[in-house]
Amino acid sequence: MNGPFDFTLRLGDDALIAAQRLAEWSTRAPEMEEDIALANIALDQLGAARLLLTYAGELEGAGRDEDALAYLRDDREFRNCLLVELPNGDFAVTMAKLLLLSAYQLPLYTALAGCADERLAAIGAKARKESAYHLDHASLWVRRLGDGTEESHRRMQAAVDEVWPYTHELFTPDPAAPVDPASLRADVDATVTAVLDEATLTLPRTGWAPAGGRDGVHTEHLSYLLAEMQVLHRAHPGASW
Amino acid sequence: MYGNDFPADDGPGGGLLGEVEAAEAALREAAERGRRGATAGEDLAAYFAEVIDADQKIEPRDWMPEAYRKTLIRQIAQHAHSEIIGMQPEGNWISRAPSLKRKAILLAKVQDEAGHGLYLYAAAETLGVSRDELVDLLLSGRQKYSSIFNYPTLTWADVGAIGWLVDGAAIVNQVPLCRCSYGPYARAMIRVCKEESFHQRQGYEILHTLAHGTPAQQAMAQDAVDRWWYPSLAMFGPPDTDSTHSAQSMAWKIKRFSNDELRQRFVDMCVQQAEVLGLSIPDPDLRWNDERQAYDFTQPDYDELMRVIKGEGPCNRQRMEHRRRAHAEGAWVREAAAAYAAKQAAKKEKVAA
């Protein structure tokens, strides 16, 4: 096992799969401004994924570039958290996912920006600014939906109930990693709770803590996502695009 | 004439971008020259004609003939609708883009189109119509969008062909609009053309890579050009003999060239580029005419164009259904945003009181 490679791959996979899901909103958002915002966030995630996967490929030293890692691995080899592969659901589910992801990525990238690995530090420094924007955007929508109409409140609470259990996996301890995810827990919980309070929403009471993404044991959703994402690349082995 | 503005080493869209920049400079000069405002009691129609004749811009505050206003609303709205519906055929390939770099470029492009749509709706709103009204007109089928977006994107090469041919045709169409007499539209077109030119280059690059790739990729590229060539020619509208809006729009300096003139310009531009790409244009009668100093070519099937405009193209129903569904499914979100904004405003008022 190669510690820095595994860590970098996990972050890259989180960003890549999040980008793929967010991009599914393109042409489908509730308003035109939001179509632009979601594409913007998807692009940020994709940009971070490309930097991280490129670096992961270098750390691995087996000649795999960003595309080899993105297009030529099967779901059992992907290391993203389950949260990002969940289907988009309605707009509330997407915003709940984005809130949790960005509340996690912001302190993660911020800590990374100060780590000893120069490449990861540079990626962290760039990505944390984008995460701050994502968190801001998601927080605003969670407040709007939570404290909007009866219908939007109901949907937003259902969305939080649905996705919250998937956050536990994000904090699986890894003391050897450049940033130990377990160390982020308090910060993320505080951020999320504050937003939910303002949005008149509550955290679900459940001990259910689905996990497995970091070991390549995913939900049934990922395989379909990859089938679509990889279909063209795999149909033309060795081609350039 | 146009061919001379477009040296082969300038790449696709190069000469056109120069024209956009020239239009931008002319716009600035016109603004610096300034113009007197209409005086009280003056004949407003005469003043309007004077502004147009002097190549100055009509601005939202100016008096304008009702037909001029209506023509502009129709044209700008259809243009905006085309940007929004036009996101769909390309958006269809974002999830399957064959490399992460191409995925990022395509996602950014589709995002740009949404931005163009917003920008154009804002330009239309300066004429006294609201975006919501225009969106209703689109969704109820009372206003049209460009016929080209009713064709399906069947392979990745279609994304390249759309960039090269469809965006190419759009730019040829829109560059003269950078000098349109209505200021907000002219300014919107300058910005839109610059980005479209960038998109066209990206589409050209996709096709170039495919045309120089594996035999399967080459075949994919040629097939896409074969399918998109005539629909792209049809984007310039019916031949001049059948065009209903042309004469008045030319007199008002909304339109500056006829459909057929622009179509010819586009063909002349594409022939050289197709040669560089190593792809053939699917027209056996395409040849240089020394006398006319332009290419002779086969006209697109205008009956087909009319059928597509009427709603009977391959994807009309799908495109409209998709737009209507996104709008309907987003209603609760827009309502929530409005309710939240009202609550926040009420809170502020309470604090202030």
Side-chain angles (χ1 to χ4, degrees):
Chain A
M1 287 298 268
N2 175 340
F5 165 70
D6 287 333
F7 177 80
T8 309
L9 190 66
R10 270 181 240 153
L11 265 51
D13 284 351
D14 283 354
L16 177 63
I17 303 303
Q20 184 76 2
R21 282 293 185 220
L22 286 162
E24 288 174 15
W25 276 100
S26 186
T27 78
R28 289 182 174 81
E31 53 190 30
M32 289 170 216
E33 287 82 355
E34 193 54 25
D35 218 302
I36 294 177
L38 290 173
N40 205 346
I41 297 170
L43 268 171
D44 287 344
Q45 294 285 352
L46 183 55
R50 294 182 64 193
L51 293 172
L52 288 160
L53 292 180
T54 298
Y55 186 43
E58 290 170 26
L59 288 169
E60 185 190 38
R64 291 201 281 183
D65 63 7
E66 59 177 21
D67 286 335
L69 286 170
Y71 289 98
L72 300 174
R73 280 182 299 151
D74 292 324
D75 59 326
R76 290 282 287 111
E77 298 162 276
F78 266 79
R79 291 292 178 269
N80 58 280
C81 59
L82 303 182
L83 175 72
V84 293
E85 73 195 44
L86 298 178
N88 281 337
D90 67 7
F91 188 69
V93 172
T94 292
M95 282 304 133
K97 282 169 60 180
L98 186 62
L99 173 69
L100 300 175
L101 179 68
S102 55
Y104 166 73
Q105 284 181 329
L106 178 57
L108 174 65
Y109 287 137
T110 303
L112 208 58
C115 83
D117 183 313
E118 278 181 25
R119 282 283 287 283
L120 286 177
I123 294 170
K126 181 180 186 298
R128 73 176 169 186
K129 293 178 204 151
E130 295 164 351
S131 296
Y133 158 69
H134 306 165
L135 178 59
D136 204 46
H137 192 74
S139 304
L140 180 58
W141 271 114
V142 169
R143 290 201 304 270
R144 277 175 177 159
L145 298 179
D147 194 17
T149 63
E150 250 176 69
E151 162 86 345
S152 70
H153 178 86
R154 181 185 63 74
R155 286 182 186 243
M156 195 63 238
Q157 183 62 58
V160 170
D161 292 349
E162 182 184 333
V163 303
W164 172 254
Y166 291 90
T167 50
H168 305 302
E169 179 192 26
L170 297 172
F171 307 107
T172 308
D174 184 359
V179 175
D180 183 353
S183 68
L184 306 170
R185 172 116 229 183
D187 189 347
V188 176
D189 281 354
T191 305
V192 172
T193 322
V195 173
L196 294 184
D197 275 351
E198 273 192 78
T200 70
L201 299 164
T202 53
L203 284 179
R205 292 174 185 279
T206 168
W208 186 51
R214 302 305 190 201
D215 303 315
V217 180
H218 291 275
T219 65
E220 290 179 347
H221 305 295
L222 184 65
S223 172
Y224 287 96
L225 181 150
L226 294 181
E228 185 175 345
M229 186 174 88
Q230 298 175 339
V231 59
L232 179 57
H233 187 96
R234 285 190 187 258
H236 297 264
S240 319
W241 301 96
Chain B
M1 54 160 231
Y2 181 69
N4 297 338
D5 296 341
F6 196 76
D9 60 1
D10 206 10
L16 288 169
L17 205 51
E19 286 185 38
V20 174
E21 273 154 19
E24 195 175 14
L27 194 78
R28 236 179 286 122
E29 278 165 30
E32 277 162 17
R33 278 203 307 277
R35 62 175 166 90
R36 64 182 188 86
T39 47
E42 186 177 2
D43 178 351
L44 291 170
Y47 177 71
F48 174 83
E50 183 188 312
V51 172
I52 302 259
D53 283 347
D55 271 330
Q56 302 279 35
K57 300 298 167 199
I58 299 295
E59 295 297 339
R61 63 177 181 275
D62 292 324
W63 179 89
M64 61 190 85
E66 206 39 41
Y68 177 86
R69 184 188 300 275
K70 283 209 171 112
T71 297
L72 275 169
I73 289 176
R74 182 178 49 80
Q75 187 173 335
I76 300 173
Q78 287 188 185
H79 196 157
H81 301 331
S82 300
E83 297 283 356
I84 298 302
I85 299 288
M87 295 165 70
Q88 289 183 41
E90 292 176 288
N92 183 37
W93 281 90
I94 292 172
S95 66
R96 294 172 292 170
S99 75
L100 296 187
K101 180 182 158 194
R102 289 291 171 210
K103 189 191 289 287
I105 290 172
L106 182 58
L107 192 48
K109 180 184 176 183
V110 174
Q111 187 193 21
D112 278 350
E113 282 160 8
H116 294 170
L118 283 183
Y119 202 48
L120 285 160
Y121 282 123
E125 285 189 321
T126 65
L127 291 158
V129 62
S130 76
R131 179 170 117 189
D132 287 349
E133 284 174 75
L134 296 175
V135 168
D136 274 347
L137 289 169
L138 168 68
L139 295 180
S140 62
R142 281 174 294 158
Q143 276 188 343
K144 305 285 182 205
Y145 54 87
S146 176
S147 59
I148 195 78
F149 301 120
N150 293 311
Y151 291 88
T153 48
L154 302 177
T155 71
W156 169 251
D158 290 32
V159 173
I162 287 184
W164 178 44
L165 294 173
V166 174
D167 293 337
I171 298 166
V172 168
N173 234 328
Q174 290 166 15
V175 161
L177 293 172
C178 295
R179 294 176 183 274
C180 153
S181 60
Y182 188 59
Y185 194 26
R187 291 189 286 272
M189 281 302 94
I190 286 170
R191 182 161 141 182
V192 168
C193 282
K194 285 182 181 176
E195 287 182 0
E196 291 293 356
S197 162
F198 188 55
H199 297 161
Q200 194 216 6
R201 184 176 289 266
Q202 290 165 343
Y204 182 87
E205 261 178 41
I206 289 175
L207 283 185
H208 193 271
T209 307
L210 294 176
H212 295 82
T214 65
Q217 286 178 306
Q218 289 168 28
M220 194 193 280
Q222 185 61 56
D223 170 61
V225 171
D226 290 351
R227 281 182 289 110
W228 287 92
W229 174 251
Y230 285 109
S232 299
L233 289 192
M235 280 174 70
F236 295 94
D240 294 348
T241 44
D242 303 349
S243 185
T244 44
H245 304 293
S246 281
Q248 183 60 75
S249 283
M250 292 245 205
W252 278 330
K253 293 187 182 170
I254 294 174
K255 244 180 118 149
R256 301 226 164 203
F257 300 95
S258 76
N259 293 353
D260 286 334
E261 281 174 301
L262 293 172
R263 191 168 8 245
Q264 180 72 55
R265 188 182 273 211
F266 176 68
V267 171
D268 292 348
M269 179 180 99
C270 288
V271 173
Q272 292 180 356
Q273 293 172 5
E275 278 167 19
V276 181
L277 284 172
L279 295 170
S280 53
I281 287 172
D283 180 358
D285 294 325
L286 181 76
R287 57 180 56 86
W288 179 251
N289 181 327
D290 218 32
E291 213 169 292
R292 291 201 306 118
Q293 287 293 299
Y295 284 92
D296 290 336
F297 60 95
T298 306
Q299 294 290 319
D301 178 348
Y302 292 111
D303 291 338
E304 175 180 313
L305 174 65
M306 288 309 140
R307 283 196 301 275
V308 176
I309 290 175
K310 239 176 58 193
E312 296 178 356
C315 298
N316 298 60
R317 291 176 185 210
Q318 179 187 329
R319 301 287 184 245
M320 288 299 289
E321 170 58 24
H322 182 100
R323 195 65 240 140
R324 286 196 194 107
R325 191 168 57 236
H327 191 75
E329 286 179 359
W332 70 273
V333 177
R334 296 190 298 274
E335 282 159 20
Y340 178 79
K343 283 186 199 176
Q344 294 302 108
K347 264 186 211 166
K348 250 184 214 160
E349 219 164 85
K350 217 172 166 186
V351 172

